[in-house]
Amino acid sequence: MIKDYRLFWSALGLVALGGTFALLSLGYPLGTLHRMGPGFFPLVLGFILAGLGLVILLGAGTQTLGAAKVAWRPLGFISAAILAFGLLIGPFGLLPATFVAALLSAFADASSRPLPVVVYSAVLTAGVWAVFVLVLGIPFTAIRGVL
Amino acid sequence: MDMLIQGFSVAFSPDNLFYCLVGVFLGTLVGVLPGVGTLASISLLLPMTFYLDPTTALIMLAGVYYGSEYGGSTASILLNLPGSPSNAVTCLDGYPMAQQGRAGVALFMTSIASFVGGSIGILLMMGFSPLLVKIAFSFGPAEYFALMVLGLLAATAIAQGSPLKGIAMVVVGMLIGCVGMDISSGIPRFTFGNMALFEGVNMVILAMGLFGVSEIFASANQLTARLTAKDITLRSMLPTREDWRRSAPSIFRGSGIGSIIGALPGTGATIAAYLSYTVEKQVSKNRRQLGTGAIEGISAPEAANNAAVQTAFIPTLTMGIPGSASMALILGALMMHGIYAGPSTMTDHPDMFWGLIASFWIGNVLLLLLNIPLVGIWVRLLALPYRYIFPAVIIFICVGVYSLTYSFTDVVLVLGFGLLGYGLKLAGYEPAPLLIGFILGPLIEEYLRRAMLLARGDFLTILQRPISGSMLLVCALLLGWALYVTWRRYRPGAPEPLPTPAE
Amino acid sequence: MKPLFLASAALLLFPVALATAQDFPSQPIHIIVSAGPGGSPDIFSRTLAHYLTERIGQPVLVENRQGGAGNPASEYVATSKPDGHTLLAVSSSLAFNDALFPGLPFNRDSFVPIIAAIGSQQVLAVHPDQPFETIDDLVAAAKASPGTISVASPSWGTTGQLGVLLLQDEADIELNPVVYRNATAAFPDVVAGHADAIFVTLSAALPFIRDGALRPLAVTTPERAPSLPDTPTFREQGYPGLVWEDWQGWAAPAGTPQAVIDKLNAEINAVIADPGANAQLVEQGFVPLGGTVAEAVALVDASDALWRPIIVRHNIKPE
């Protein structure tokens, strides 16, 4: 009987992760004890992890963690912000990517209002440009095609 | 001694003093900014060194190097964001201290511990360089393998809750460490054809995702600032008598461990910090409080990594063998000036060698003077509402990560590790053992495979060597003890002690 | 429609300079280095860039794009605009990289070599406690007990690693090859005697050799190395198969106008001939090479002809 689903699923995840690594490792040469191949070490680790997962899984029947609430709002907005940064910086440059990412991440806080967020993002973008491009001189394209 | 006095006269020349200040200031700045590692900053300054005298150039670059170790702890304490991998340990107790309103104390003690650690490292370097070189030479692949295994076993003790979960996290970290091109066969493992993964997952990305991003997931939608302006008094920033008393032995232990580990070319400041933390976890009087905001948990590793940073110059300058990537960079800078570091550096370029050592100490004094006043400014940042802070942190993480290799994959990875870290937090796992597994795992594999190659497949030779053999014996004893403890905990009827509940 | 509009707008606002030899370079030149700062490709590139900036009146900037065994840097340059403003620091492995990493979206034909700026030798050196004085000693010992002599090489896919295999083939012996992460990881083991020998770039080994921490047995160049005049070549010792010259230089993306290539070649040759730059390169342990574009192409062909068969014969490739 399962008492705690988080513990149960996480342990199952460990078993799956270990199993996957072990399975993939079989695709690489295992080698000999003298000349170990690239598959040897991850294969052993994969088995150990899967084993540990199983033991924790057995424990999931007897223990419980406290209640937890998933912070969906920050998860959504901040993930979107990071992804947007990664997608925009190549084609558009540092400043547009920074501005959009700042905008998106600010809304992870439910109390954010549009106007202050836009101002804040603009200030932050200017700050990033000053620190990374002016002071540190990292070779970023600030705005593709312009700067 | 004459040499050292001469060294101080070199270091005290106005030019050298100025560039030393430039170096430590930039280093501190770069250390505070997450992601923009020492490596990036030294490489940015490298072109400048063309115009400088080699000794001056070296003094400046070295200043950046240890300055960033100083600065790196700031973001760890304030934001749970390790500015450089060796500061990740500082998150473990530094961030809880900040949450308890003791950020000022933590920052202050960090500066002191760093200064003492750095100074002890320098003293040992002056007095015992030949001895430390000898120790380093006696370490072959077998010895490194044994040392890393020992570190790994000790690291499972970092976990607060169930040791089983801690070990599982270590193994997950080691598996993530397997990603990338296998160094001896060139086969890319678990890269799924993605070139960005060829050289493996970057440690900075893993640490920032696991600690920094996941922390923002957990606390972004909480309006409150952690401090109100009223709370910020001078007294609240100064360590109490109790803090001093508890820190002193930890700082000395950390400095000793750091000095020795730093001198081994196959290790580095990160490993020094972790090992000293695990030692505290075993021997400190307050070991049970470690991980919940105990001052020992920051003073020991900070002393250790700064001591290690200093002694890392020993193999670099005496053998021409860099102890870390940043050291390799400094060697490169020397080569640009046509100076090849080697066993004769000390005799061929005594001005440079002793001038550099003297400048280390001056640099550490400058850092102390620079950082103590900064403590007040940093703590005031915490009085800002969190909603103004976290978007900036996210941006700094993104820019820092992107500047590493200009790759989209790295940005996705930092997000992925952030999600992983948040998930682990919810399920009651801790990220610290994962990180140490990630750091030590590839080294263990590399040294084991190399030791077996050199021993031509005979594991017994590894056990027969005195240093590696005795270290592995200690490992076996530790493992047996851990199994015994686990058995006692998991005995029918013995409830698992709950880890800190996730929010 | 939309991209076209954007493109024409960009054209109107910022007239794109069409690269001709007269107005080249019209903007800063970026040298992409796949190694980290302080690595040998970085050091020689920065030295050339420093002097080149003074000659051509445009900044020449070295950018490090690390990771991915150098492949992301190559891909970045291969897909850059072929106008001479984005160049790649290359080495012998430009010739056979596609044999080591099959399936990459670029190969040697994606680049035009501009110049082989510097040359370097590989040296086979042993720990001073080893009894070997010549290659024949080493070969005899390896024949007596196959697979016991451990030879370190700096990292996978380097000519040092391939050289160990070539030596095994040429002398018909079995060694115990140990591949390291990089040269700096390999030296401590050899100097401390944990490994017996090392096959590595001479300039990196020179400080150890001068201090007596390593004993050189042979160099790979056709002639003896100027920095090591007492060490015979492999050819002198009766191993004519082990003769090659490593080189490093710069290359441009394929399709770069010939006039631009020629101009760059002439300017870099002038830098190499400059006494200051030349002395600095020598101090850094390099052998200044220089020469025409045709000579650079010939070196690429020679590297290709030597190493591709070895790579194929030993099945050296990932997967």
Side-chain angles (χ1 to χ4, degrees):
Chain A
M1 150 136 192
I2 299 156
K3 270 196 177 168
D4 189 294
Y5 279 94
R6 266 183 297 145
L7 211 53
F8 174 76
W9 286 116
S10 68
L12 213 59
L14 292 178
V15 176
L17 191 71
T20 312
F21 267 98
L23 210 65
L24 288 173
S25 304
L26 290 175
Y28 309 123
L30 294 179
T32 60
L33 210 51
H34 172 194
R35 202 164 272 283
M36 291 181 197
F40 185 87
F41 201 69
L43 180 71
V44 173
L45 288 178
F47 273 118
I48 295 178
L49 184 62
L52 285 168
L54 279 177
V55 178
I56 297 175
L57 196 63
L58 297 177
T62 57
Q63 302 140 17
T64 50
L65 299 166
K69 221 172 80 203
V70 180
W72 291 113
R73 190 183 172 97
L75 272 180
F77 277 102
I78 286 169
S79 303
I82 297 176
L83 276 181
F85 183 90
L87 288 171
L88 294 178
I89 189 162
F92 295 100
L94 175 67
L95 301 189
T98 302
F99 185 75
V100 173
L103 217 57
L104 279 170
S105 63
F107 283 105
D109 188 304
S111 67
S112 289
R113 295 284 160 267
L115 190 64
V117 165
V118 169
V119 175
Y120 174 79
S121 302
V123 172
L124 199 58
T125 307
V128 161
W129 184 69
V131 171
F132 288 96
V133 180
L134 283 188
V135 178
L136 294 176
I138 296 175
F140 279 128
T141 308
I143 301 172
R144 172 129 344 252
V146 181
L147 277 169
Chain B
M1 204 60 213
D2 284 353
M3 286 312 219
L4 187 64
I5 292 166
Q6 194 193 344
F8 268 103
S9 72
V10 171
F12 265 122
S13 81
D15 259 18
N16 290 346
L17 214 52
F18 172 74
Y19 282 104
C20 185
L21 184 66
V22 170
V24 295
F25 177 75
L26 269 179
T28 308
L29 174 69
V30 174
V32 170
L33 291 176
V36 186
T38 324
L39 213 59
S41 52
I42 296 185
S43 70
L44 290 169
L45 291 178
L46 214 49
M48 250 181 86
T49 64
F50 261 117
Y51 304 97
L52 299 175
D53 167 71
T55 309
T56 310
L58 199 58
I59 285 176
M60 181 177 74
L61 293 179
V64 174
Y65 179 52
Y66 52 75
S68 73
E69 290 295 328
Y70 249 81
S73 51
T74 306
S76 305
I77 291 170
L78 297 178
L79 302 163
N80 206 29
L81 199 64
S84 67
S86 59
N87 299 116
V89 192
T90 312
C91 290
L92 300 179
D93 282 279
Y95 188 62
M97 279 182 80
Q99 284 175 315
Q100 293 153 17
R102 282 166 48 80
V105 177
L107 288 170
F108 193 95
M109 198 46 95
T110 301
S111 297
I112 300 290
S114 302
F115 177 72
V116 176
S119 302
I120 291 179
I122 293 167
L123 283 175
L124 288 175
M125 188 166 161
M126 292 190 306
F128 298 100
S129 268
L131 180 71
L132 287 171
V133 168
K134 219 169 169 181
I135 296 179
F137 259 173
S138 65
F139 267 64
E143 284 74 22
Y144 278 117
F145 166 69
L147 177 71
M148 302 295 165
V149 173
L150 188 62
L152 198 65
L153 278 179
T156 53
I158 287 183
Q160 287 291 302
S162 144
L164 213 54
K165 284 180 169 178
I167 297 171
M169 284 301 100
V170 168
V171 180
V172 172
M174 292 173 85
L175 280 169
I176 296 175
C178 287
V179 173
M181 195 174 96
D182 175 40
I183 56 163
S184 48
S185 68
I187 292 181
R189 295 189 293 192
F190 317 113
T191 58
F192 308 104
N194 188 331
M195 251 195 276
L197 291 174
F198 257 39
E199 268 165 35
V201 174
N202 189 307
M203 196 190 314
V204 176
I205 294 176
L206 181 72
M208 284 203 293
L210 221 48
F211 287 83
V213 177
S214 74
E215 177 57 33
I216 293 173
F217 282 145
S219 48
N221 202 11
Q222 296 173 342
L223 272 174
T224 48
R226 267 185 240 114
L227 290 173
T228 56
K230 270 205 307 264
D231 295 336
I232 303 170
T233 58
L234 189 60
R235 181 174 289 271
S236 77
M237 279 182 239
L238 292 178
T240 62
R241 187 179 293 266
E242 168 79 0
D243 289 328
W244 287 108
R245 203 180 49 73
R246 284 172 57 175
S247 288
S250 309
I251 289 176
F252 286 107
R253 277 193 292 264
S255 307
I257 293 167
S259 300
I260 293 172
I261 300 288
L264 299 175
T267 54
T270 310
I271 290 172
Y274 262 106
L275 283 183
S276 77
Y277 189 88
T278 53
V279 167
E280 287 307 304
K281 192 90 188 174
Q282 310 292 336
V283 306
S284 162
K285 271 196 209 124
N286 304 299
R287 54 180 173 269
R288 281 174 209 293
Q289 292 170 29
L290 245 64
T292 61
I295 192 124
E296 291 90 344
I298 56 167
S299 33
E302 282 297 327
N305 73 31
N306 285 279
V309 160
Q310 302 300 342
T311 53
F313 279 92
I314 295 177
T316 309
L317 286 178
T318 56
M319 295 185 278
I321 292 160
S324 66
S326 311
M327 279 294 109
L329 207 56
I330 287 176
L331 268 187
L334 280 178
M335 276 169 68
M336 291 182 91
H337 289 281
I339 295 172
Y340 279 86
S344 49
T345 309
M346 251 192 262
T347 44
D348 286 357
H349 305 278
D351 273 12
M352 193 188 76
F353 187 83
W354 292 105
L356 185 65
I357 289 189
S359 89
F360 286 169
W361 203 77
I362 295 169
N364 272 284
V365 175
L366 290 177
L367 278 170
L368 196 65
L369 295 177
L370 195 69
N371 275 275
I372 295 291
L374 278 178
V375 170
I377 299 174
W378 295 128
V379 173
R380 273 181 186 83
L381 272 186
L382 285 187
L384 285 174
Y386 196 57
R387 68 167 185 275
Y388 293 133
I389 295 177
F390 76 80
V393 175
I394 287 290
I395 295 299
F396 278 126
I397 290 176
C398 286
V399 178
V401 164
Y402 193 76
S403 73
L404 293 173
T405 59
Y406 304 92
S407 124
F408 175 60
T409 308
D410 285 347
V411 179
V412 175
L413 276 179
V414 82
L415 173 61
F417 289 128
L419 293 171
L420 176 70
Y422 186 67
L424 292 176
K425 202 181 290 208
L426 285 182
Y429 294 83
E430 289 157 73
L434 194 160
L435 191 64
I436 188 81
F438 174 81
I439 294 167
L440 293 180
L443 293 172
I444 288 180
E445 180 185 13
E446 190 178 328
Y447 288 122
L448 173 66
R449 285 169 70 178
R450 192 173 298 148
M452 292 304 276
L453 262 178
L454 292 173
R456 286 182 293 130
D458 185 4
F459 192 76
L460 271 180
T461 54
I462 296 178
L463 294 178
Q464 281 160 357
R465 296 170 70 102
I467 302 179
S468 54
S470 46
M471 279 195 288
L472 288 174
L473 183 71
V474 175
C475 290
L477 292 176
L478 267 177
L479 197 64
W481 182 72
L483 284 176
Y484 171 72
V485 172
T486 313
W487 174 77
R488 281 191 43 164
R489 276 204 199 172
Y490 278 82
R491 231 166 10 162
E496 183 194 2
L498 284 184
T500 32
E503 4 223 321
Chain C
M1 188 65 205
K2 212 174 180 186
L4 194 68
F5 168 74
L6 281 176
S8 47
L11 267 175
L12 280 175
L13 287 170
F14 305 98
V16 177
L18 293 170
T20 64
Q22 276 75 41
D23 55 10
F24 175 84
S26 57
Q27 61 194 64
I29 297 177
H30 294 263
I31 313 295
I32 310 299
V33 175
S34 64
S40 83
D42 180 74
I43 292 178
F44 95 82
S45 291
R46 281 182 198 275
T47 308
L48 289 188
H50 177 72
Y51 287 94
L52 201 56
T53 302
E54 289 171 0
R55 283 190 65 86
I56 62 174
Q58 281 284 354
V60 182
L61 307 164
V62 173
E63 267 182 48
N64 304 89
R65 284 188 182 244
Q66 288 171 265
N71 290 316
S74 304
E75 192 185 14
Y76 173 78
V77 176
T79 56
S80 292
K81 203 158 75 170
D83 60 2
H85 290 109
T86 311
L87 309 177
L88 180 68
V90 293
S91 69
S92 324
S93 68
L94 169 71
F96 52 84
N97 189 61
D98 61 306
L100 292 172
F101 300 97
L104 289 175
F106 57 87
N107 59 25
R108 58 167 285 191
D109 296 328
S110 315
F111 302 96
V112 199
I114 297 168
I115 193 165
I118 54 161
S120 58
Q121 310 85 356
Q122 301 282 317
V123 63
L124 181 66
V126 295
H127 186 267
D129 289 352
Q130 294 292 335
F132 325 122
E133 298 283 346
T134 63
I135 297 295
D136 279 335
D137 294 348
L138 182 107
V139 168
K143 285 223 161 107
S145 49
T148 52
I149 299 171
S150 49
V151 186
S153 49
S155 65
W156 187 84
T158 56
T159 53
Q161 188 230 341
L162 297 173
V164 177
L165 301 175
L166 189 57
L167 176 62
Q168 291 193 125
D169 283 5
E170 284 287 311
D172 192 26
I173 50 172
E174 191 192 330
L175 298 164
N176 185 11
V178 184
V179 181
Y180 283 75
R181 181 177 294 276
N182 50 43
T184 48
F187 279 119
D189 272 6
V190 189
V191 172
H194 302 295
D196 303 326
I198 186 166
F199 212 141
V200 71
T201 310
L202 176 58
S203 60
L206 213 50
F208 299 99
I209 293 173
R210 287 199 179 131
D211 286 316
L214 289 177
R215 185 197 308 135
L217 295 190
V219 293
T220 61
T221 31
E223 307 298 329
R224 292 190 180 193
S227 52
L228 212 59
D230 297 333
T231 303
T233 63
F234 275 100
R235 184 190 274 166
E236 282 175 60
Q237 300 190 49
Y239 299 88
L242 279 120
V243 175
W244 78 88
E245 238 167 328
D246 279 322
W247 56 273
Q248 297 188 54
W250 289 350
T256 307
Q258 191 59 40
V260 170
I261 302 275
D262 289 340
K263 177 160 185 182
L264 278 167
N265 177 277
E267 293 292 343
I268 300 167
N269 269 318
V271 165
I272 294 171
D274 175 281
N278 201 290
Q280 195 162 0
L281 287 170
V282 171
E283 252 181 20
Q284 291 162 348
F286 299 117
V287 182
L289 224 53
T292 62
V293 175
E295 282 167 341
V297 173
L299 275 170
V300 177
D301 288 338
S303 305
D304 198 344
L306 176 65
W307 296 118
R308 197 173 290 269
I310 310 277
I311 293 167
V312 172
R313 194 176 334 139
H314 287 271
N315 196 26
I316 307 173
K317 62 168 196 289
E319 240 84 33

